[in-house]
C-alpha cells in the first residue's frame, strides 16, 4: 500500500487566534510576468532556521538566540523579538532575490506568541511582518497561544525582484509579549504563466470533536461529529467537502459511513463513489473567517482483516471519521479511493474523540487515551491528539504489552489471539527501537504514546495512522510503519498524486534504522516504459499495479540512497532533518524537496533528477 507495506512476499525487496490587525492584501495580486526566463524551483531564505548564526540576517542584539525561556520550532536556535516588559523595539530582516520566471512564491514561517498581558481587547504589543513595502500581517498580544502556528503568504507579486523581508516587534512599557519566529522559508516555483488563484491550502481545520458509542462487539458506532475550520486563502470559500473514505468498502449508495442531520451548511449529493460529500456554506468565508459543520455519524464496520474491517472479535477502524478535503492551487482534491495505496491528502488538526464501549473491549487509538467508567459494564475512552492528519482506532479483547523507549516514548502493543507473548514482546522491542531511531534522524516524536495493533491475518502487511499502526509480526514492516509517523504524519504530502514522498522516504528511513546502506541497489533498475517515473501518481499505479511496489518502494528508496552517495552522508543527514523541521505538520512537495536537496550541495543535481525520473 502507498502508506503501508504490501504483503511482504509481493515486494521487490495542521489557525491564528481571534485578531489579525492588518491582513495581507497581496494574496490576490497577480504574479510578475517573466518574459522568457525559466523557473528553477528554489527556497530563497538563507539560514531560515537560524542554526548557522546570525548571517545573513540583520537583527537587533540578542534576537537570534538559543537561550532558555523559549523553544525552537526545529533545531536549537530561533528569533525572539521583544519579551522585555519595557518600552522596546526589535527588528529582524533579510534581503531576498526572487528569481524571474517563477510564477508562484510562497512565504512561510512558524510563529509563537506568549504574553503577560491580561487584556482580551487591547493590542499593546505588536509584531509587523513586511516584504518590500507591503505589510503582510500584524500580530499582537491578543494572538498569544500555546505552541507554534505556521503562517503562509502568497508573495508571487514579487517574482523577479530583490526585496527585504522584515519583522518589527514593538513593546509598550509594561507586561512582556514575546514574538518567536523560526523555520522561515520562501519557496518559488511554477512557469511563466501567472497563477489564477493563490496557492494557500484551505480549509484549515481548527479541530475535530467526536462522540461515539459502540454496540457490544465494537462493529457499529453511532454518535456525533463536529469540525471547525478557517479560510486562510485569499479566494473565498463557498463550500467544503467531507471525505467519507470508507464508503469505498460498500456498494454506493449502500455505504458503511452515514452522515445525517448536518448543520453549518447544506449537504449535497454523495460523489466520487460516495466518498465525497459537498457541503455548501451559508455564506462565503473570506480570508481569515471561520466556520463549522456538525452531523450525526454512523459507522458499520464490514467483515475482513482490513484497515477498515473486523477479524473475528477484533475491529480495525481506520479512515472512518469524515475529514475535510483540501483545496490548493490545483483546486479541490477529490481523488478516488485506492486499495493499492492511499489517497489521504489532509491537513493537520487537533482531535478530541470520545468512544463509549463495553468494558470487555480494549480500544487503542490515535493520541493519548484516558479511560473512565461509563454506564453499567461500559467504559468511556477519551483520546486527544494534536497536529494529526486523521484518527484511527481498534476495538477488541486484545492482549496488551507496554513499555517505554529509551528516549521516553510510551509504546503499547495490542495483539489478537494467536499472537504469542514472545512475538508481542519482540514487536514491543522493535517499536521502541524504531521510534527512537527515526526520532534521532528526523526530530523528536511529538505524539506522546504509540500504539501498534498486531494481527497476522492482515492481507496488506501494515498500515499507519498518527500514533497508531496496524501490522503483522514483522520487524521490517513495523519499523516501516513507524517511520510513517514522520513521512506522511508529521511531514504530510498529497498521497494520491505524489506517493513517493511518503513511501520512498519511509522505506529509506527503514533501511537506515536497520543499518542497510542500499549499496548498488540503484544499479538494478529496469524501467517498464518511458512513462514510468518515481513521481507518478496513484492513477498511474492503479493502472500498472504490478510495478507499484518495485518503483515507489524499491526505486524510490534507492534513489534516496543514491542521493546520499551523491551529496555525502553528512549533507544528506542534515538535509532530511532540516527538511522535516521546515515542513513539520505541513505539506511536502517534490519541487520543495528538490529545491532543498539542491541547496544542500554544490553538486548540480539536474542530471540526477533526470536519471532517477524524479519530476516536479
Amino acid at each position: 500500500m502507498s502508506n503501508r507495506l504490501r504483503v511482504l512476499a509481493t515486494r521487490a525487496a495542521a489557525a491564528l487566534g481571534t485578531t489579525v490587525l492588518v491582513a495581507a492584501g497581496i494574496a490576490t495580486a497577480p504574479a510578475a510576468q517573466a518574459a522568457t526566463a525559466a523557473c528553477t524551483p528554489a527556497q530563497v531564505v538563507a539560514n531560515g532556521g537560524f542554526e548557522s548564526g546570525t548571517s545573513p540576517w540583520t537583527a537587533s542584539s540578542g534576537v537570534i538566540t538559543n537561550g532558555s525561556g523559549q523553544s525552537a520550532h526545529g533545531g536549537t536556535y530561533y528569533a525572539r523579538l521583544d519579551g522585555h516588559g519595557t518600552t522596546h523595539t526589535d527588528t529582524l530582516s533579510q534581503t531576498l532575490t526572487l528569481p524571474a520566471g517563477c510564477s508562484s512564491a510562497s512565504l512561510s514561517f512558524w510563529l509563537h506568541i506568549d504574553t503577560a498581558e491580561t487584556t482580551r481587547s487591547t493590542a499593546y504589543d505588536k509584531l509587523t511582518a513586511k516584504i518590500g513595502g507591503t505589510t503582510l500581517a500584524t500580530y499582537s498580544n491578543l494572538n498569544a497561544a500555546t505552541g507554534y502556528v505556521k503562517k503562509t503568504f502568497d508573495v508571487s507579486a514579487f517574482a523577479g525582484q530583490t526585496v527585504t523581508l522584515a519583522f518589527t516587534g514593538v513593546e509598550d512599557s509594561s507586561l512582556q509579549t514575546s514574538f518567536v519566529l523560526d523555520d522561515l522559508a520562501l519557496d518559488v516555483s511554477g512557469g511563466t504563466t501567472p497563477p489564477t488563484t493563490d496557492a494557500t491550502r484551505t480549509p484549515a481545520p481548527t479541530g475535530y470533536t467526536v462522540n461515539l458509542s459502540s454496540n457490544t462487539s465494537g462493529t457499529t458506532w453511532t454518535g456525533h461529529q463536529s469540525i471547525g475550520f478557517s479560510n486562510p486563502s485569499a479566494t473565498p470559500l463557498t463550500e467544503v467537502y467531507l471525505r467519507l473514505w470508507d464508503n469505498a468498502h460498500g456498494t454506493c449508495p449502500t455505504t458503511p459511513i452515514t452522515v445525517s442531520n448536518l448543520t453549518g451548511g447544506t449537504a449535497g449529493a454523495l460523489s466520487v463513489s460516495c466518498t465525497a460529500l459537498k457541503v455548501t456554506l451559508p455564506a462565503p468565508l473570506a480570508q481569515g473567517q471561520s466556520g463549522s459543520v456538525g452531523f450525526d455519524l454512523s459507522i458499520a464496520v464490514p467483515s475482513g482483516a482490513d484497515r477498515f474491517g473486523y477479524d473475528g472479535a477484533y475491529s480495525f477502524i481506520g479512515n472512518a471519521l469524515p475529514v475535510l478535503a483540501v483545496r490548493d492551487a490545483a483546486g479541490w482534491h477529490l481523488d478516488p479511493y485506492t486499495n493499492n495505496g492511499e489517497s489521504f491528502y489532509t491537513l493537520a488538526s487537533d482531535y478530541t474523540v470520545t468512544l463509549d464501549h463495553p468494558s470487555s473491549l480494549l480500544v487503542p487509538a490515535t493520541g493519548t487515551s484516558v479511560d473512565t467508567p461509563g454506564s453499567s459494564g461500559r467504559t468511556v475512552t477519551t483520546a486527544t491528539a494534536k497536529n494529526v492528519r486523521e484518527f484511527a482506532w481498534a476495538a477488541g479483547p486484545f492482549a496488551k504489552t507496554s513499555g517505554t523507549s529509551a528516549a521516553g516514548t510510551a509504546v503499547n502493543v495490542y495483539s489478537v489471539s494467536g499472537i504469542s507473548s514472545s512475538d508481542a514482546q519482540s514487536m514491543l522491542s522493535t517499536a521502541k527501537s524504531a521510534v527512537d531511531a527515526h526520532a534521532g534522524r528526523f526530530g523528536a516524536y511529538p505524539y506522546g504514546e504509540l500504539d501498534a495493533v498486531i494481527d497476522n491475518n492482515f492481507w496488506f502487511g501494515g498500515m499507519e495512522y498518527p500514533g497508531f499502526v496496524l501490522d503483522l509480526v514483522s520487524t521490517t514492516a513495523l519499523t516501516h510503519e513507524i517511520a510513517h509517523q514522520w513521512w506522511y504524519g508529521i511531514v504530510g504530502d498529497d498521497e494520491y498524486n505524489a506517493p513517493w514522498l511518503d513511501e520512498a522516504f519511509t522505506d529509506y528511513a527503514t533501511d537506515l534504522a536497520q543499518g542497510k546502506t542500499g549499496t548498488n541497489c540503484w544499479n538494478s533498475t529496469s524501467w517498464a516504459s518511458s512513462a514510468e517515473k518515481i513521481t507518478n501518481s496513484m492513477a498511474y499505479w492503479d493502472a500498472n499495479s504490478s510495478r507499484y511496489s518495485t518503483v515507489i518502494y524499491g526505486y524510490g528508496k534507492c534513489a534516496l540512497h543514491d542521493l546520499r552517495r551523491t551529496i555525502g552522508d553528512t549533507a544528506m543527514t542534515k538535509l532530511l532533518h532540516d527538511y522535516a523541521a521546515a515542513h513539520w505538520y505541513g505539506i511536502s512537495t517534490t519541487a520543495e524537496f528538490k529545491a532543498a536537496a539542491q541547496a544542500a550541495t554544490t553538486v548540480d543535481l539536474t542530471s540526477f533528477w533526470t536519471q532517477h525520473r524524479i519530476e516536479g
Side-chain angles (χ1 to χ4, degrees):
M1 293 273 170
S2 170
N3 255 349
R4 47 181 170 163
L5 282 176
R6 297 290 291 167
V7 179
L8 298 181
T10 69
R11 292 197 56 196
L16 180 64
T18 57
T19 305
V20 176
L21 299 177
V22 181
I26 65 166
T28 57
Q33 181 75 38
T36 58
C39 175
T40 300
Q43 197 287 105
V44 300
V45 173
N47 191 24
F50 308 108
E51 300 300 314
S52 301
T54 58
S55 180
W57 292 99
T58 300
S60 302
S61 176
V63 163
I64 297 175
T65 179
N66 65 344
S68 60
Q70 298 290 340
S71 299
H73 175 261
T76 303
Y77 283 80
Y78 54 88
R80 174 182 175 177
L81 288 79
D82 297 331
H84 299 275
T86 60
T87 302
H88 189 84
T89 299
D90 276 330
T91 59
L92 174 73
S93 64
Q94 182 178 144
T95 300
L96 310 172
T97 299
L98 282 66
C102 296
S103 61
S104 177
S106 177
L107 170 69
S108 64
F109 55 85
W110 290 85
L111 174 64
H112 168 59
I113 304 173
D114 70 50
T115 187
E117 301 282 1
T118 58
T119 178
R120 295 178 179 272
S121 59
T122 305
Y124 290 114
D125 310 315
K126 302 175 183 178
L127 175 75
T128 302
K130 297 180 67 175
I131 188 167
T134 299
T135 297
L136 299 176
T138 300
Y139 310 100
S140 77
N141 50 279
L142 298 178
N143 304 125
T146 301
Y148 281 87
V149 178
K150 189 176 186 180
K151 308 299 180 184
T152 304
F153 301 92
D154 182 356
V155 293
S156 303
F158 297 94
Q161 300 181 33
T162 297
V163 293
T164 298
L165 173 65
F167 299 86
T168 302
V170 179
E171 195 171 20
D172 75 349
S173 59
S174 65
L175 299 177
Q176 76 87 24
T177 300
S178 297
F179 300 99
V180 189
L181 293 160
D182 204 358
D183 293 328
L184 292 85
L186 200 163
D187 295 293
V188 296
S189 61
T192 58
T193 302
T196 56
T197 61
D198 69 279
T200 302
R201 298 178 179 93
T202 192
T206 56
Y208 289 78
T209 303
V210 185
N211 292 275
L212 296 173
S213 180
S214 81
N215 63 354
T216 56
S217 62
T219 57
T220 299
W221 299 78
T222 56
H224 189 79
Q225 177 173 341
S226 61
I227 309 172
F229 52 88
S230 64
N231 179 23
S233 169
T235 303
L237 195 63
T238 59
E239 74 277 335
V240 298
Y241 284 85
L242 300 178
R243 295 314 308 259
L244 283 56
W245 287 115
D246 282 339
N247 280 349
H249 293 269
T251 302
C252 188
T254 304
T255 57
I257 309 297
T258 303
V259 167
S260 60
N261 299 321
L262 186 139
T263 60
T266 303
L270 289 168
S271 60
V272 196
S273 299
C274 288
T275 66
L277 176 63
K278 182 179 180 179
V279 178
T280 302
L281 300 178
L285 291 186
Q287 188 173 33
Q289 291 186 323
S290 299
S292 64
V293 294
F295 45 85
D296 292 336
L297 177 65
S298 176
I299 300 169
V301 183
S303 176
D306 208 336
R307 51 186 173 185
F308 178 60
Y310 68 85
D311 180 23
Y314 305 93
S315 294
F316 314 104
I317 310 166
N319 307 113
L321 296 183
V323 295
L324 291 169
V326 178
R327 188 190 77 190
D328 59 20
W332 283 105
H333 285 259
L334 301 177
D335 301 304
Y337 182 95
T338 173
N339 213 29
N340 193 37
E342 279 79 47
S343 307
F344 314 131
Y345 176 18
T346 54
L347 303 183
S349 185
D350 297 343
Y351 279 77
T352 301
V353 179
T354 301
L355 302 169
D356 183 326
H357 57 89
S359 299
S360 58
L361 305 179
L362 296 185
V363 181
T366 292
T368 301
S369 296
V370 175
D371 288 344
T372 56
S375 59
S376 179
R378 296 181 70 86
T379 296
V380 177
T381 298
T382 301
T384 56
K386 292 186 175 299
N387 295 309
V388 297
R389 299 187 187 280
E390 52 194 333
F391 184 97
W393 72 101
F398 296 102
K400 181 181 179 182
T401 307
S402 299
T404 304
S405 76
T409 297
V411 179
N412 305 301
V413 171
Y414 294 83
S415 304
V416 304
S417 59
I419 302 296
S420 69
S421 59
S422 62
D423 279 345
Q425 284 292 338
S426 175
M427 291 299 93
L428 177 63
S429 177
T430 294
K432 292 191 295 183
S433 175
V435 72
D436 284 355
H438 300 318
R441 290 185 174 90
F442 311 124
Y445 178 73
Y447 295 137
E449 66 186 51
L450 173 65
D451 293 342
V453 178
I454 309 298
D455 185 341
N456 277 334
N457 289 333
F458 290 142
W459 67 266
F460 48 84
M463 177 67 193
E464 75 293 334
Y465 297 96
F468 175 96
V469 300
L470 306 174
D471 222 320
L472 308 169
V473 175
S474 167
T475 297
T476 299
L478 187 56
T479 302
H480 173 102
E481 302 311 330
I482 292 173
H484 271 305
Q485 299 303 310
W486 284 264
W487 305 107
Y488 135 84
I490 297 167
V491 181
D493 64 288
D494 179 347
E495 294 184 305
Y496 188 84
N497 289 296
W500 88 285
L501 286 172
D502 51 272
E503 288 306 345
F505 282 60
T506 290
D507 240 20
Y508 176 75
T510 302
D511 275 5
L512 296 182
Q514 296 187 324
K516 300 176 182 178
T517 63
T519 302
N520 296 323
C521 71
W522 183 256
N523 297 343
S524 63
T525 55
S526 177
W527 301 103
S529 71
S530 60
E532 189 171 84
K533 300 176 179 65
I534 288 175
T535 46
N536 281 350
S537 74
M538 288 308 304
Y540 178 88
W541 300 118
D542 281 346
N544 299 271
S545 59
S546 66
R547 295 288 293 170
Y548 169 65
S549 177
T550 298
V551 177
I552 291 295
Y553 289 82
Y555 295 0
K557 77 171 180 181
C558 287
L560 293 174
H561 279 300
D562 214 23
L563 179 62
R564 174 174 51 82
R565 287 186 282 270
T566 299
I567 70 175
D569 289 355
T570 300
M572 187 68 169
T573 298
K574 187 177 188 303
L575 166 63
L576 289 182
H577 181 276
D578 291 353
Y579 189 77
H583 293 79
W584 206 260
Y585 303 139
I587 298 293
S588 168
T589 67
T590 298
E592 288 169 336
F593 178 71
K594 288 171 66 176
Q598 184 59 78
T601 182
T602 58
V603 177
D604 185 347
L605 296 177
T606 302
S607 61
F608 179 92
W609 306 125
T610 301
Q611 176 194 356
H612 294 78
R613 300 196 181 189
I614 296 174
E615 298 181 356

